[in-house]
Amino acid sequence: MANESYEWAERKVAFQPRVAAWQAAVRDGLLDAGILPYRGFTLEHLHGTKVGGSIFDENGHRHTAADLLEYADSTKIRVYLHATVHRLLFTSALGGRPKAYGVLFKDSKGLRHVAFLNYGPKNEIIISAGALGSPQLLMLSGIGPARNLEAHGIRVILDQPMVGQGMSDNPMNVVFVPSPRPVEISLIQVVGITEVGSYVEAASGFFELVWAYRIAQDFAKLANQSMDAFTLPTNSTIFQELIQQPDPTRSRNIQAGVILEKVIGPFSTGYLELQTRNPEDNPRVTFNYFQDPRDLQRCVQGMEIIKRVVESPSFSAFRYPFASFQSLIDFMLSVPINLRRKHLGSTYSMEQYCIDTVMTIWHYHGGCQVNRVVDRDYRVLGVDALRVIDGSTFYNSPGTNPQATVMMLGRYMGQKILNER
């Protein structure tokens, strides 16, 4: 059923990409670097170098999970856009288990509404708010660590200390590669699935320049609100051109791409807790990047593979002749890709480089894990008529994008729930 559920999602959102020059150079560079064998185009997670599926079709149109609504019977589903759930509603008889019966939400105009479950023993509420949203929503509704809930004046429905625990984010480290020749626009297509627990991927062209531009702008804003002195670097003409463009579309003539490594798992975990009772405020999340030394070792080994790719004969057409890998490392240390302090040793120590330049690729998971917060059918432990079905239930996440697995899980559990009725 899991395989069928993957295929159900793939028919709507997964396409074989057209591999152009930059991606082909990275692919061949990975093979030169020993990431073997070559698997060709496949949606399977197999060690070696492969071309993976893309959410962009052959016409360049982007597809999302919203496309899966094409499967739906429009007479049996209602979708509220721009609505924000504030909390779940529970009944609880004296000495009995709490039971979910409704959802309090606000619409786009700020008006409050309540959606109620119909009567029936098998009707239930399913939370799919993601690794940040689902544990936050449980806490706002009174399910979570009692001490944290009471500190925010939230009535405790169920003291569940594991809500918000086990938070993980796959650490990513990047090398920005200026190119002496034009580079096509590409998101991640080629991937090296290594034996060391690190995935090596690449993207290029205009999208990556917008990405760099946005990071520079966003972190400049954040840093200027902090207590620390902050100035943008002045030693990079490429970076200066990026940040000085009010409209990044004017930077199309810049030729560059990125090669990244992302740690699978990871072993390091953290926690999530409320900052306020307002559901529109972000929770506070600590991921503890590289707290487990095994994650740091995976990053170092992944960066060593990137070095071999950049220095490989197959990638030479996209590398300036006198640009060393060390110069690319020094460049990354000169730009504000995060708010961490950069240490002098980062130039010489790949361990310190990984720590100082770690970034997110937004593949958060944990917070409502199986056998801790939900059972193996994703029912919330200690509560009736409530499930959580999303990435917050995961213990691990693959080295590539987890969205296929999340979509599969939704389809899988949807089918299973229907079969139970």
Side-chain angles (χ1 to χ4, degrees):
M1 191 191 290
N3 284 335
E4 291 173 358
S5 298
Y6 270 116
E7 293 165 3
W8 178 87
E10 290 160 6
R11 285 194 290 272
K12 293 291 185 183
V13 300
F15 305 90
Q16 181 172 353
R18 181 183 64 84
V19 177
W22 163 273
Q23 291 284 339
V26 174
R27 176 197 63 200
D28 296 342
L30 283 164
L31 297 175
D32 290 346
I35 310 304
L36 301 168
Y38 179 54
R39 304 287 188 174
F41 171 70
T42 178
L43 301 179
E44 299 296 325
H45 282 256
L46 302 169
H47 286 118
T49 297
K50 72 166 197 170
V51 177
S54 172
I55 58 172
F56 287 84
D57 63 25
E58 60 275 9
N59 297 315
H61 296 143
R62 182 174 183 265
H63 295 260
T64 73
D67 292 26
L68 302 178
L69 288 171
E70 294 172 6
Y71 284 121
D73 181 343
S74 61
T75 66
K76 297 179 180 178
I77 186 171
R78 183 173 296 174
V79 180
Y80 291 96
L81 301 177
H82 310 296
T84 302
V85 175
H86 279 229
R87 61 186 174 91
L88 309 176
L89 305 177
F90 295 92
T91 60
S92 54
L94 186 63
R97 287 163 59 96
K99 181 178 181 179
Y101 73 88
V103 177
L104 174 66
F105 67 95
K106 285 187 177 182
D107 62 23
S108 59
K109 298 179 180 179
L111 300 177
R112 292 160 63 97
H113 305 266
V114 178
F116 294 100
L117 283 181
N118 288 329
Y119 290 107
K122 294 187 176 181
N123 292 334
E124 58 190 354
I125 295 169
I126 297 174
I127 301 175
S128 295
L132 304 187
S134 290
Q136 179 189 25
L137 182 56
L138 286 180
M139 291 179 183
L140 290 171
S141 304
I143 299 176
R147 174 179 285 183
N148 185 240
L149 302 186
E150 290 168 347
H152 291 282
I154 297 172
R155 184 170 73 91
V156 178
I157 301 296
L158 178 68
D159 181 13
Q160 175 38 296
M162 297 310 297
V163 173
Q165 297 298 307
M167 295 297 302
S168 294
D169 183 25
N170 304 79
M172 176 182 73
N173 291 81
V174 172
V175 174
F176 187 84
V177 185
S179 169
R181 58 179 286 184
V183 175
E184 77 269 10
I185 293 172
S186 70
L187 291 180
I188 292 168
Q189 299 173 355
V190 170
V191 56
I193 303 179
T194 74
E195 299 280 357
V196 301
S198 178
Y199 281 46
V200 177
E201 305 164 351
S204 61
F206 175 61
F207 285 125
E208 296 317 299
L209 299 173
V210 173
W211 167 81
Y213 170 86
R214 294 301 183 198
I215 287 176
Q217 295 290 348
D218 290 346
F219 279 104
K221 291 176 184 177
L222 283 171
N224 287 334
Q225 295 171 9
S226 73
M227 299 295 289
D228 298 328
F230 182 87
T231 57
L232 291 171
T234 59
N235 58 343
S236 168
T237 57
I238 292 175
F239 187 72
Q240 282 298 311
E241 185 171 349
L242 276 172
I243 64 174
Q244 288 171 7
Q245 294 286 355
D247 177 1
T249 60
R250 292 165 53 190
S251 297
R252 284 180 181 271
N253 61 326
I254 299 179
Q255 299 169 176
V258 296
I259 304 177
L260 63 92
E261 68 79 32
K262 177 190 171 194
V263 173
I264 67 169
F267 291 108
S268 304
T269 63
Y271 57 92
L272 176 151
E273 57 188 8
L274 295 178
Q275 293 196 93
T276 73
R277 294 178 59 175
N278 185 347
E280 297 187 11
D281 288 342
N282 288 332
R284 179 185 294 109
V285 190
T286 301
F287 290 115
N288 289 323
Y289 297 110
F290 300 128
Q291 184 180 64
D292 190 303
R294 291 173 292 180
D295 293 331
L296 186 57
Q297 185 60 30
R298 285 175 167 179
C299 176
V300 170
Q301 292 173 312
M303 292 300 299
E304 290 171 349
I305 292 170
I306 291 178
K307 181 177 185 291
R308 298 205 300 268
V309 171
V310 171
E311 294 177 346
S312 68
S314 297
F315 192 75
S316 60
F318 291 97
R319 184 182 66 247
Y320 279 99
F322 302 106
S324 66
F325 187 74
Q326 185 62 52
S327 69
L328 301 180
I329 293 295
D330 293 342
F331 170 76
M332 293 303 300
L333 291 168
S334 74
V335 297
I337 57 174
N338 61 33
L339 290 178
R340 293 189 167 202
R341 293 185 181 278
K342 305 298 186 293
H343 297 80
L344 290 176
S346 300
T347 299
Y348 312 104
S349 165
M350 194 52 70
E351 287 85 355
Q352 193 63 55
Y353 177 86
C354 286
I355 293 169
D356 286 358
T357 64
V358 66
M359 300 171 65
T360 183
I361 197 167
W362 308 288
H363 297 165
Y364 319 124
H365 52 283
C368 298
Q369 292 172 318
V370 173
N371 293 334
R372 289 181 173 179
V373 176
V374 299
D375 65 17
R376 298 189 70 84
D377 288 319
Y378 299 89
R379 295 185 178 94
V380 176
L381 298 169
V383 177
D384 291 332
L386 181 63
R387 302 194 204 218
V388 178
I389 304 177
D390 59 24
S392 70
T393 63
F394 294 174
Y395 282 78
N396 300 289
S397 183
T400 52
N401 197 304
Q403 62 179 303
T405 305
V406 175
M407 294 178 196
M408 176 280 293
L409 178 63
R411 171 63 172 175
Y412 177 92
M413 286 306 302
Q415 289 292 97
K416 188 171 183 179
I417 292 168
L418 286 175
N419 292 341
E420 293 172 355
R421 291 182 176 270

